[in-house]
Amino acid sequence: MDNITLIGMPGSGKSTVGVLLAKLMGYQFLDVDLLIQEREGALLQEILDLRGTAAFLDAEEAAVRTLSCRRTVIAPGGSAVCREGAALHLKGLGPVVYLQVSLEELTRRVQNLSTRGIAMEPGQTLADVMAYRDPLYRKYADLVVDCPPGQELLQTARLVMDRLRASGK
C-alpha cells in the first residue's frame, strides 16, 4: 500500500482515526486542513468568512493537488470530494476510505458548525451537506467503513487497516 486517504463528513473522525492508523501501519500522517491554513495564511473559518465557499473549495483543491507523498495516511477536509480534480488526485495517491457516520452521530459530535471551518452555504444544515456529499464519498471511495456510535476510534483504525489488507488495495 502506498498512501491511504480517509474521506467523510466533518466529525467522522478522519484526523483522529488517521493518526491512529498511521501509527498502526508505521506511516506518516497528513492533515490537509493544516496544509490549507499554512498555504493561505488564515484559519479555515476565516477563509470561508472572508472569501466564501467557492474560494475555499478552490484553495482546498489547490492544496490537495500539490500532495506528493508515500506511505502516508491523508485526512483531507470533508469537502475535498466537492471538486473532482481534488478527489481524483487523492484516488491517484492510493486507496480512498469513506468513514461513514450517521447524521445523528455527526450532529452529536459537531457542535461548532459556525466556527469549525466547514464548507457550507448560509442556511445549509449538516443534513443538507451530508445529502449532497454522501453520493460523492461513495463515488470516490474504494472502501466504505461503517462507524457506528460507540465504536472506539482505535477500533475504527484497526478495521480500516484490516479491510484494506483483506481487499488487497
Side-chain angles (χ1 to χ4, degrees):
M1 245 176 284
D2 201 10
N3 300 296
I4 301 163
T5 298
L6 302 177
I7 60 173
M9 287 288 291
S12 63
K14 296 179 301 290
S15 294
T16 307
V17 170
V19 168
L20 296 169
L21 182 60
K23 285 183 179 182
L24 286 171
M25 298 188 69
Y27 278 27
Q28 297 293 314
F29 174 74
L30 176 64
D31 188 324
V32 177
D33 285 348
L34 298 178
L35 178 62
I36 294 166
Q37 290 180 163
E38 181 181 319
R39 286 173 51 96
E40 299 298 316
L43 298 175
L44 301 179
Q45 192 61 53
E46 291 171 342
I47 299 166
L48 286 160
D49 291 344
L50 298 174
R51 301 186 218 163
T53 304
F56 176 87
L57 294 174
D58 289 343
E60 181 175 48
E61 180 179 18
V64 166
R65 291 175 71 123
T66 67
L67 298 181
S68 176
C69 47
R70 296 189 58 89
R71 297 180 53 81
T72 301
V73 176
I74 303 163
S79 54
V81 296
C82 296
R83 292 290 168 89
E84 187 177 43
L88 291 176
H89 186 77
L90 291 169
K91 279 193 75 72
L93 295 173
V96 175
V97 179
Y98 173 21
L99 299 180
Q100 179 182 283
V101 177
S102 71
L103 178 59
E104 295 74 24
E105 181 66 9
L106 290 172
T107 302
R108 189 185 67 73
R109 292 181 187 182
V110 180
Q111 299 294 316
N112 52 347
L113 273 180
S114 62
T115 59
R116 186 170 170 137
I118 299 172
M120 54 195 294
E121 296 297 333
Q124 275 191 317
T125 65
L126 203 54
D128 297 331
V129 173
M130 187 172 189
Y132 174 74
R133 292 184 189 172
D134 182 70
L136 295 172
Y137 294 139
R138 292 177 187 286
K139 174 181 177 180
Y140 294 113
D142 296 298
L143 185 65
V144 177
V145 174
D146 189 43
C147 305
Q151 180 169 283
E152 297 290 328
L153 294 173
L154 181 57
Q155 186 181 356
T156 302
R158 286 190 175 119
L159 185 59
V160 169
M161 182 176 67
D162 293 345
R163 298 259 323 265
L164 281 169
R165 287 183 174 156
S167 71
K169 301 232 182 250

